[in-house]
Amino acid sequence: MTTRLSALSDWVAEIAKHTQPDNIYWCQGTDREYRDLVRQMLESDDLIELNQEHYPRCYLHRSNPTDVARVEHLTYVCSKSKQDAGPNNNWMAPKAAKQMMQNFFKGCMRGRTLYVIPYCMGPLDSPYARCGVEITDSAYVAANMYLMTRMGTDALKRIEKDGSFIKGVHSIGELDPERRYIMHFPDELLIMSYGSGYGGNALLGKKCHALRIASHQARTEGWLAEHMLIVGLENPDGETHYLACAFPSACGKTNLAMLIPPESLAGWKIWTLGDDIAWMHLDEQGQLRAINPEAGLFGVVPGTNLNTNPNAYKMIQAETIFTNVAVTKENDPWWEDKNVGEPAVDWQGNLYDPKTGAAAHPNSRFTVSAKHNPSYSKLAEAPEGVPISALIFGGRRRELAPLIYQAKDWAHGVLVGASVASETTAAATGEVGVVRRDPMAMKPFCGYNFADYWAHWLSFSDRSGSLPSIFHVNWFRQDTQGNFLWPGFGENLRVLRWIIERCEKRVGAVESPIGYLPKLEDIDCTGLDLNKDTIEQLLTVNPEQWRVEMRHIREYLDEFGERVPKQLLAEHDKIVQALS
Ligand code: OXD
Ligand code: MN
């Protein structure tokens, strides 16, 4: 197969000439092709067959132990000027970056196959979808892209119709951490990634295209590319509201996207549109509408069980690629908090020894098509996307942030988003419990200067009078002994329900300096083991702590200098005044 689009065939020829592969293969995106890729990888030991009776068509991939996570320090945004990339990104001059990458890529595919993967981010017939082509020498990447995106012949047809596409060149290279870089060239709509086979570094449709490059495109074209899950909440009367929610890593995004209503909210249904990325456009009526550009999930495995996320647990019983989990004696996949079975072999393939740490890597992953999610929304394929009723930001804060509050208006909501911060957990390396600023949960993913990004967010209120309300949640408040005050998981629906009632203007609120809070009686806590004091604690604002927080927020905003929108600073001043 090849293409009638010369911009594409010429580019593939140029990359092949430079990288010297033995073969070139154009992916078609058929099930049969996926089976062939799996068979080849079983032969080359890139995949290991798991117990096919217990886990049909499930396989395990073991990464190089130095290549198990995104590498933010090796990820660069190479805009023309350093100021355009902003203090939130690593920057290298485009010419120097390209030269370095060209040197790495020279002849790197000798003895390998070059896969051409045309893909479409978003439903194939959606005006909001955007396409890309990834060139890679990794069959694992091709197989994962099959599960995660709409790829192959149909995507190629759309690319030929559009006449344009994002270019992504990837090679696993030598998997040498010294020769590993993930480079973005937003002005050329180009990604070059070398030396890693790990998801976020290598599956270029996801973080590289759908967030870093797309956020840049979205700014020029007037839309938003966000690190947000999209979920539909259907009430017992059959009415559904859609929410888009941004949380930093380790705040339970996938769990929230697939939540199971608690018994006390029987009759409610949850529909998942996406668990990681939302592309949002204003329609002609000024309604914000979202699509999920992805078609699959690349989720963290440890902690997934029948209590924390029953839908995800069921979804990964078949047709799943596991990366870096442990295995049991029966050759079933195993991970910490699976609550079933015992590990026999750890994620590196060694006999499991508890003294050497976790059996599954803390960042071990599942890749699975979203079709297998029991709560997958039919509207995930709707070309026009879904109308968004509310945007929700959140973070992991032991103290300070109440369980829920609502921003007073759009501009205040943008400040709430820009102020998102979260405490680090044991799942990441480094100190635990340190507060990290992560505006809109986009710190690792915004492809341009955050100051310009906040200005872009603020500009939406000039274009629509019916923007969604903005909220902030914190499921992670703790008492002085370190016990969580709020039960979390499915019970979070009680809070989401208040959000919907606010959107429908069916419930009042209490005004506070930081925004609107629920009246105690408006969060339904029936059946929960929570006393009134705890609920009060969850919903109070401590002015002392907030004054300190506002100082930290201001210091953070000031790091972005003159470019920070005055309107954002004015929103900050308003809160400081209200607190004093
Ligand atoms: C992810 C992340 O993998 O945000 O989705 O790190
Ligand atoms: Mn993510």
Side-chain angles (χ1 to χ4, degrees):
M1 190 169 81
T2 177
T3 174
R4 58 184 169 78
L5 184 67
S6 56
L8 175 54
S9 51
D10 291 353
W11 176 64
V12 172
E14 176 198 319
I15 302 294
K17 189 163 166 228
H18 187 65
T19 56
Q20 299 280 302
D22 282 11
N23 306 297
I24 297 181
Y25 179 80
W26 287 69
C27 293
Q28 291 159 36
T30 61
D31 192 51
R32 180 165 169 189
E33 175 181 88
Y34 175 71
R35 305 274 158 237
D36 282 346
L37 285 168
V38 166
R39 189 179 40 72
Q40 282 169 38
M41 284 190 283
L42 289 169
E43 282 165 14
S44 61
D45 293 333
D46 284 317
L47 284 186
I48 297 161
E49 195 164 67
L50 291 164
N51 185 322
Q52 294 297 296
E53 234 173 86
H54 300 169
Y55 284 84
R57 296 172 304 286
C58 286
Y59 307 95
L60 166 64
H61 172 76
R62 290 198 183 111
S63 307
N64 180 303
T66 69
D67 186 32
V68 291
R70 284 186 291 102
V71 280
E72 285 172 24
H73 63 296
L74 302 173
T75 300
Y76 284 69
V77 170
C78 308
S79 2
K80 280 196 200 97
S81 83
K82 188 170 171 26
Q83 288 72 18
D84 288 343
N88 46 306
N89 282 302
N90 299 313
W91 178 83
M92 208 183 278
K95 202 164 155 219
K98 221 182 279 165
Q99 190 58 55
M100 180 180 78
M101 296 307 273
Q102 292 289 27
N103 289 343
F104 290 160
F105 275 102
K106 194 167 177 17
C108 72
M109 296 192 191
R110 275 192 202 109
R112 300 180 183 169
T113 295
L114 178 159
Y115 297 91
V116 183
I117 310 170
Y119 63 85
C120 180
M121 299 310 286
L124 282 155
D125 52 351
S126 170
Y128 304 146
R130 294 285 184 281
C131 293
V133 178
E134 175 164 359
I135 289 179
T136 179
D137 54 10
S138 159
Y140 169 79
V141 166
N144 275 271
M145 287 291 280
Y146 172 74
L147 299 176
M148 301 278 303
T149 69
R150 297 148 177 101
M151 69 91 129
T153 313
D154 291 341
L156 180 60
K157 277 194 203 136
R158 164 132 186 188
I159 290 168
E160 289 171 338
K161 192 163 102 253
D162 292 351
S164 63
F165 58 95
I166 306 285
K167 293 174 178 162
V169 197
H170 168 255
S171 171
I172 53 172
E174 309 81 39
L175 293 174
D176 173 359
E178 299 294 319
R179 287 162 57 85
R180 177 174 297 157
Y181 283 97
I182 324 299
M183 295 291 190
H184 304 75
F185 302 89
D187 301 301
E188 292 168 66
L189 305 181
L190 169 69
I191 305 156
M192 297 178 93
S193 165
Y194 191 87
S196 168
Y198 172 79
N201 305 326
L203 310 175
L204 301 186
K206 194 174 176 67
K207 305 295 191 182
C208 300
H209 175 166
L211 288 174
R212 295 193 194 97
I213 296 288
S215 61
H216 166 89
Q217 266 185 317
R219 181 190 176 205
T220 35
E221 296 171 8
W223 50 283
L224 293 167
E226 297 301 322
H227 189 207
M228 288 180 165
L229 66 93
I230 313 166
V231 68
L233 271 57
E234 183 181 328
N235 71 18
D237 296 331
E239 295 149 357
T240 307
H241 278 276
Y242 295 92
L243 313 177
C245 317
F247 295 88
S249 299
C251 289
K253 239 166 112 194
T254 304
N255 293 350
L256 184 62
M258 301 173 76
L259 170 157
I260 301 278
E263 265 169 40
S264 69
L265 289 173
W268 283 74
K269 289 194 190 118
I270 300 293
W271 301 108
T272 316
L273 276 290
D275 81 323
D276 198 36
I277 302 178
W279 283 1
M280 297 184 287
H281 288 71
L282 286 176
D283 69 12
E284 275 166 16
Q285 286 69 45
Q287 167 69 54
L288 196 66
R289 307 191 70 89
I291 61 163
N292 171 16
E294 303 191 275
L297 291 89
F298 182 68
V300 174
V301 190
T304 307
N305 62 46
L306 279 172
N307 297 320
T308 56
N309 192 336
N311 276 340
Y313 190 81
K314 284 178 206 148
M315 184 175 67
I316 59 177
Q317 300 297 309
E319 300 275 0
T320 302
I321 297 180
F322 290 92
T323 300
N324 297 335
V325 294
V327 287
T328 66
K329 264 211 232 60
E330 295 78 36
N331 202 25
D332 290 345
W334 192 91
W335 53 87
E336 274 64 26
D337 295 325
K338 183 183 184 188
N339 297 345
V340 181
E342 295 292 333
V345 174
D346 72 13
W347 66 276
Q348 297 194 60
N350 301 318
L351 278 184
Y352 172 60
D353 174 358
K355 288 202 278 304
T356 59
H361 190 278
N363 192 34
S364 51
R365 296 281 175 152
F366 58 77
T367 320
V368 65
S369 162
K371 287 188 293 235
H372 299 301
N373 173 1
S375 63
Y376 196 43
S377 166
K378 281 205 253 339
L379 291 184
E381 284 301 327
E384 70 284 5
V386 292
I388 295 297
S389 300
L391 297 174
I392 303 176
F393 295 111
R396 176 184 283 271
R397 300 300 292 264
R398 270 174 299 188
E399 296 186 46
L400 188 81
L403 177 63
I404 167 85
Y405 64 97
Q406 180 182 7
K408 294 185 180 171
D409 56 25
W410 181 260
H412 176 214
V414 175
L415 177 69
V416 170
S419 311
V420 166
S422 204
E423 285 152 12
T424 50
T425 67
T429 49
E431 222 181 314
V432 172
V434 178
V435 175
R436 287 233 175 101
R437 295 271 148 216
D438 191 353
M440 280 82 171
M442 282 286 276
K443 168 69 187 71
F445 307 120
C446 182
Y448 62 103
N449 190 320
F450 259 152
D452 300 335
Y453 169 79
W454 298 322
H456 179 52
W457 264 82
L458 287 167
S459 74
F460 276 69
S461 59
D462 302 335
R463 293 170 48 209
S464 169
S466 49
L467 292 168
S469 302
I470 299 181
F471 297 81
H472 186 280
V473 298
N474 175 20
W475 316 130
F476 302 98
R477 282 291 291 265
Q478 290 176 19
D479 64 16
T480 43
Q481 276 85 55
N483 304 308
F484 287 106
L485 295 178
W486 177 252
F489 301 107
E491 308 298 350
N492 292 338
L493 182 55
R494 298 172 190 258
V495 176
L496 303 183
R497 182 180 173 181
W498 183 77
I499 290 176
I500 290 174
E501 286 169 350
R502 285 294 291 165
C503 295
E504 290 178 338
K505 303 202 173 11
R506 286 201 283 120
V507 70
V510 184
E511 192 168 350
S512 87
I514 65 159
Y516 299 115
L517 292 157
K519 296 186 204 147
L520 296 192
E521 64 274 20
D522 285 340
I523 299 283
D524 175 11
C525 292
T526 17
L528 290 184
D529 187 16
L530 280 186
N531 60 36
K532 190 152 170 281
D533 284 354
T534 309
I535 302 167
E536 240 171 55
Q537 208 182 330
L538 281 163
L539 294 175
T540 39
V541 173
N542 177 328
E544 207 54 52
Q545 288 180 340
W546 271 96
R547 278 195 282 269
V548 176
E549 175 74 358
M550 293 314 289
R551 228 181 20 248
H552 290 155
I553 292 170
R554 180 64 201 234
E555 281 161 15
Y556 181 73
L557 296 179
D558 284 345
E559 288 175 25
F560 293 83
E562 286 298 306
R563 287 207 193 198
V564 176
K566 301 277 172 293
Q567 197 185 357
L568 199 65
L569 299 178
E571 287 301 321
H572 180 274
D573 288 348
K574 274 195 232 167
I575 297 171
V576 172
Q577 266 161 31
L579 283 164
S580 64

PDB file of all heavy atoms in Angstrom, residues 70 206-207 211 227-228 247-249 253 275-277 298 365 441 445, ligand 2:
ATOM      1  N   ARG A  70       7.237   8.243  31.206  1.00  0.00           N
ATOM      2  CA  ARG A  70       7.519   9.433  30.414  1.00  0.00           C
ATOM      3  C   ARG A  70       8.768  10.108  30.976  1.00  0.00           C
ATOM      4  O   ARG A  70       9.034  10.029  32.170  1.00  0.00           O
ATOM      5  CB  ARG A  70       6.345  10.416  30.484  1.00  0.00           C
ATOM      6  CG  ARG A  70       5.164  10.018  29.635  1.00  0.00           C
ATOM      7  CD  ARG A  70       4.089  11.081  29.618  1.00  0.00           C
ATOM      8  NE  ARG A  70       3.426  11.232  30.892  1.00  0.00           N
ATOM      9  CZ  ARG A  70       3.656  12.200  31.762  1.00  0.00           C
ATOM     10  NH1 ARG A  70       4.556  13.141  31.486  1.00  0.00           N
ATOM     11  NH2 ARG A  70       3.012  12.265  32.898  1.00  0.00           N
ATOM     12  N   LYS A 206      -0.821  10.150  21.414  1.00  0.00           N
ATOM     13  CA  LYS A 206      -1.390  10.482  22.720  1.00  0.00           C
ATOM     14  C   LYS A 206      -0.875  11.831  23.240  1.00  0.00           C
ATOM     15  O   LYS A 206      -1.388  12.877  22.860  1.00  0.00           O
ATOM     16  CB  LYS A 206      -1.091   9.336  23.693  1.00  0.00           C
ATOM     17  CG  LYS A 206      -1.892   9.385  24.971  1.00  0.00           C
ATOM     18  CD  LYS A 206      -1.642   8.143  25.816  1.00  0.00           C
ATOM     19  CE  LYS A 206      -2.350   8.205  27.149  1.00  0.00           C
ATOM     20  NZ  LYS A 206      -3.804   8.153  27.087  1.00  0.00           N
ATOM     21  N   LYS A 207       0.126  11.820  24.105  1.00  0.00           N
ATOM     22  CA  LYS A 207       0.551  13.068  24.741  1.00  0.00           C
ATOM     23  C   LYS A 207       1.213  14.015  23.728  1.00  0.00           C
ATOM     24  O   LYS A 207       1.017  15.223  23.795  1.00  0.00           O
ATOM     25  CB  LYS A 207       1.528  12.767  25.875  1.00  0.00           C
ATOM     26  CG  LYS A 207       0.996  11.784  26.919  1.00  0.00           C
ATOM     27  CD  LYS A 207      -0.176  12.337  27.672  1.00  0.00           C
ATOM     28  CE  LYS A 207      -0.519  11.470  28.874  1.00  0.00           C
ATOM     29  NZ  LYS A 207      -1.694  11.979  29.594  1.00  0.00           N
ATOM     30  N   LEU A 211      -2.000  16.322  22.892  1.00  0.00           N
ATOM     31  CA  LEU A 211      -1.874  17.410  23.865  1.00  0.00           C
ATOM     32  C   LEU A 211      -0.841  18.467  23.435  1.00  0.00           C
ATOM     33  O   LEU A 211      -1.191  19.610  23.225  1.00  0.00           O
ATOM     34  CB  LEU A 211      -1.556  16.859  25.259  1.00  0.00           C
ATOM     35  CG  LEU A 211      -2.756  16.155  25.914  1.00  0.00           C
ATOM     36  CD1 LEU A 211      -2.373  15.487  27.230  1.00  0.00           C
ATOM     37  CD2 LEU A 211      -3.922  17.119  26.150  1.00  0.00           C
ATOM     38  N   HIS A 227      -6.033  17.979  29.095  1.00  0.00           N
ATOM     39  CA  HIS A 227      -5.730  16.716  29.783  1.00  0.00           C
ATOM     40  C   HIS A 227      -6.920  16.375  30.681  1.00  0.00           C
ATOM     41  O   HIS A 227      -6.836  16.463  31.905  1.00  0.00           O
ATOM     42  CB  HIS A 227      -4.440  16.924  30.592  1.00  0.00           C
ATOM     43  CG  HIS A 227      -3.867  15.688  31.183  1.00  0.00           C
ATOM     44  ND1 HIS A 227      -3.088  15.699  32.315  1.00  0.00           N
ATOM     45  CD2 HIS A 227      -3.940  14.392  30.816  1.00  0.00           C
ATOM     46  CE1 HIS A 227      -2.704  14.477  32.606  1.00  0.00           C
ATOM     47  NE2 HIS A 227      -3.218  13.666  31.723  1.00  0.00           N
ATOM     48  N   MET A 228      -8.054  16.054  30.046  1.00  0.00           N
ATOM     49  CA  MET A 228      -9.305  15.891  30.793  1.00  0.00           C
ATOM     50  C   MET A 228     -10.009  14.591  30.409  1.00  0.00           C
ATOM     51  O   MET A 228     -10.061  14.231  29.229  1.00  0.00           O
ATOM     52  CB  MET A 228     -10.258  17.044  30.456  1.00  0.00           C
ATOM     53  CG  MET A 228      -9.844  18.376  31.047  1.00  0.00           C
ATOM     54  SD  MET A 228     -11.035  19.652  30.598  1.00  0.00           S
ATOM     55  CE  MET A 228     -10.593  20.937  31.764  1.00  0.00           C
ATOM     56  N   PHE A 247      -7.219  16.336  36.207  1.00  0.00           N
ATOM     57  CA  PHE A 247      -6.510  16.024  37.460  1.00  0.00           C
ATOM     58  C   PHE A 247      -5.064  15.680  37.130  1.00  0.00           C
ATOM     59  O   PHE A 247      -4.811  14.984  36.154  1.00  0.00           O
ATOM     60  CB  PHE A 247      -7.110  14.782  38.134  1.00  0.00           C
ATOM     61  CG  PHE A 247      -8.518  14.947  38.595  1.00  0.00           C
ATOM     62  CD1 PHE A 247      -9.573  14.680  37.752  1.00  0.00           C
ATOM     63  CD2 PHE A 247      -8.779  15.355  39.891  1.00  0.00           C
ATOM     64  CE1 PHE A 247     -10.883  14.828  38.170  1.00  0.00           C
ATOM     65  CE2 PHE A 247     -10.090  15.503  40.319  1.00  0.00           C
ATOM     66  CZ  PHE A 247     -11.148  15.242  39.465  1.00  0.00           C
ATOM     67  N   PRO A 248      -4.137  16.114  37.970  1.00  0.00           N
ATOM     68  CA  PRO A 248      -2.751  15.662  37.793  1.00  0.00           C
ATOM     69  C   PRO A 248      -2.656  14.132  37.960  1.00  0.00           C
ATOM     70  O   PRO A 248      -3.617  13.506  38.441  1.00  0.00           O
ATOM     71  CB  PRO A 248      -2.006  16.361  38.927  1.00  0.00           C
ATOM     72  CG  PRO A 248      -2.881  17.510  39.325  1.00  0.00           C
ATOM     73  CD  PRO A 248      -4.281  17.046  39.093  1.00  0.00           C
ATOM     74  N   SER A 249      -1.527  13.558  37.584  1.00  0.00           N
ATOM     75  CA  SER A 249      -1.340  12.108  37.733  1.00  0.00           C
ATOM     76  C   SER A 249      -1.618  11.688  39.173  1.00  0.00           C
ATOM     77  O   SER A 249      -1.434  12.474  40.097  1.00  0.00           O
ATOM     78  CB  SER A 249       0.100  11.728  37.398  1.00  0.00           C
ATOM     79  OG  SER A 249       0.370  12.083  36.084  1.00  0.00           O
ATOM     80  N   LYS A 253      -8.048   9.580  37.791  1.00  0.00           N
ATOM     81  CA  LYS A 253      -8.814  10.025  36.623  1.00  0.00           C
ATOM     82  C   LYS A 253      -9.568   8.872  35.956  1.00  0.00           C
ATOM     83  O   LYS A 253     -10.753   8.992  35.649  1.00  0.00           O
ATOM     84  CB  LYS A 253      -7.834  10.599  35.603  1.00  0.00           C
ATOM     85  CG  LYS A 253      -8.121  12.028  35.262  1.00  0.00           C
ATOM     86  CD  LYS A 253      -6.953  12.631  34.547  1.00  0.00           C
ATOM     87  CE  LYS A 253      -7.332  12.909  33.115  1.00  0.00           C
ATOM     88  NZ  LYS A 253      -6.164  13.185  32.280  1.00  0.00           N
ATOM     89  N   ASP A 275     -10.852   8.870  29.145  1.00  0.00           N
ATOM     90  CA  ASP A 275     -10.252   8.877  30.488  1.00  0.00           C
ATOM     91  C   ASP A 275      -9.014   9.755  30.586  1.00  0.00           C
ATOM     92  O   ASP A 275      -8.399   9.824  31.640  1.00  0.00           O
ATOM     93  CB  ASP A 275      -9.904   7.444  30.928  1.00  0.00           C
ATOM     94  CG  ASP A 275      -8.592   6.975  30.325  1.00  0.00           C
ATOM     95  OD1 ASP A 275      -8.324   7.325  29.148  1.00  0.00           O
ATOM     96  OD2 ASP A 275      -7.829   6.287  31.010  1.00  0.00           O
ATOM     97  N   ASP A 276      -8.639  10.448  29.485  1.00  0.00           N
ATOM     98  CA  ASP A 276      -7.365  11.179  29.569  1.00  0.00           C
ATOM     99  C   ASP A 276      -7.350  12.517  28.830  1.00  0.00           C
ATOM    100  O   ASP A 276      -6.732  13.453  29.312  1.00  0.00           O
ATOM    101  CB  ASP A 276      -6.233  10.285  29.038  1.00  0.00           C
ATOM    102  CG  ASP A 276      -4.855  10.749  29.473  1.00  0.00           C
ATOM    103  OD1 ASP A 276      -4.722  11.229  30.608  1.00  0.00           O
ATOM    104  OD2 ASP A 276      -3.904  10.635  28.680  1.00  0.00           O
ATOM    105  N   ILE A 277      -7.984  12.581  27.663  1.00  0.00           N
ATOM    106  CA  ILE A 277      -7.826  13.778  26.825  1.00  0.00           C
ATOM    107  C   ILE A 277      -9.181  14.229  26.275  1.00  0.00           C
ATOM    108  O   ILE A 277      -9.982  13.396  25.854  1.00  0.00           O
ATOM    109  CB  ILE A 277      -6.851  13.489  25.654  1.00  0.00           C
ATOM    110  CG1 ILE A 277      -5.492  13.030  26.223  1.00  0.00           C
ATOM    111  CG2 ILE A 277      -6.671  14.724  24.765  1.00  0.00           C
ATOM    112  CD1 ILE A 277      -4.463  12.664  25.194  1.00  0.00           C
ATOM    113  N   PHE A 298      -4.743   3.609  28.041  1.00  0.00           N
ATOM    114  CA  PHE A 298      -3.389   3.201  28.419  1.00  0.00           C
ATOM    115  C   PHE A 298      -3.302   3.529  29.907  1.00  0.00           C
ATOM    116  O   PHE A 298      -2.828   4.592  30.303  1.00  0.00           O
ATOM    117  CB  PHE A 298      -2.386   3.994  27.584  1.00  0.00           C
ATOM    118  CG  PHE A 298      -0.947   3.638  27.840  1.00  0.00           C
ATOM    119  CD1 PHE A 298      -0.449   2.390  27.475  1.00  0.00           C
ATOM    120  CD2 PHE A 298      -0.082   4.536  28.439  1.00  0.00           C
ATOM    121  CE1 PHE A 298       0.888   2.066  27.708  1.00  0.00           C
ATOM    122  CE2 PHE A 298       1.245   4.220  28.674  1.00  0.00           C
ATOM    123  CZ  PHE A 298       1.724   2.980  28.309  1.00  0.00           C
ATOM    124  N   ARG A 365       1.245  -0.832  32.984  1.00  0.00           N
ATOM    125  CA  ARG A 365       0.097  -0.308  32.229  1.00  0.00           C
ATOM    126  C   ARG A 365      -0.713  -1.392  31.552  1.00  0.00           C
ATOM    127  O   ARG A 365      -0.195  -2.470  31.245  1.00  0.00           O
ATOM    128  CB  ARG A 365       0.618   0.631  31.127  1.00  0.00           C
ATOM    129  CG  ARG A 365       1.335   1.869  31.648  1.00  0.00           C
ATOM    130  CD  ARG A 365       0.352   2.902  32.097  1.00  0.00           C
ATOM    131  NE  ARG A 365       0.978   4.061  32.719  1.00  0.00           N
ATOM    132  CZ  ARG A 365       0.437   5.278  32.703  1.00  0.00           C
ATOM    133  NH1 ARG A 365      -0.707   5.501  32.103  1.00  0.00           N
ATOM    134  NH2 ARG A 365       1.028   6.270  33.316  1.00  0.00           N
ATOM    135  N   ALA A 441      -3.660  20.664  35.087  1.00  0.00           N
ATOM    136  CA  ALA A 441      -3.049  19.323  34.956  1.00  0.00           C
ATOM    137  C   ALA A 441      -2.284  19.183  33.640  1.00  0.00           C
ATOM    138  O   ALA A 441      -2.096  18.090  33.118  1.00  0.00           O
ATOM    139  CB  ALA A 441      -4.104  18.217  35.110  1.00  0.00           C
ATOM    140  N   PHE A 445       2.299  18.852  29.516  1.00  0.00           N
ATOM    141  CA  PHE A 445       1.664  18.618  28.209  1.00  0.00           C
ATOM    142  C   PHE A 445       1.322  19.860  27.401  1.00  0.00           C
ATOM    143  O   PHE A 445       0.870  19.737  26.264  1.00  0.00           O
ATOM    144  CB  PHE A 445       0.376  17.801  28.416  1.00  0.00           C
ATOM    145  CG  PHE A 445       0.588  16.538  29.199  1.00  0.00           C
ATOM    146  CD1 PHE A 445      -0.077  16.307  30.395  1.00  0.00           C
ATOM    147  CD2 PHE A 445       1.482  15.578  28.746  1.00  0.00           C
ATOM    148  CE1 PHE A 445       0.136  15.146  31.125  1.00  0.00           C
ATOM    149  CE2 PHE A 445       1.704  14.413  29.478  1.00  0.00           C
ATOM    150  CZ  PHE A 445       1.033  14.195  30.667  1.00  0.00           C
TER     151      PHE A 445
HETATM  152 MN    MN B   2      -2.755  11.533  31.450  1.00  0.00          MN
END
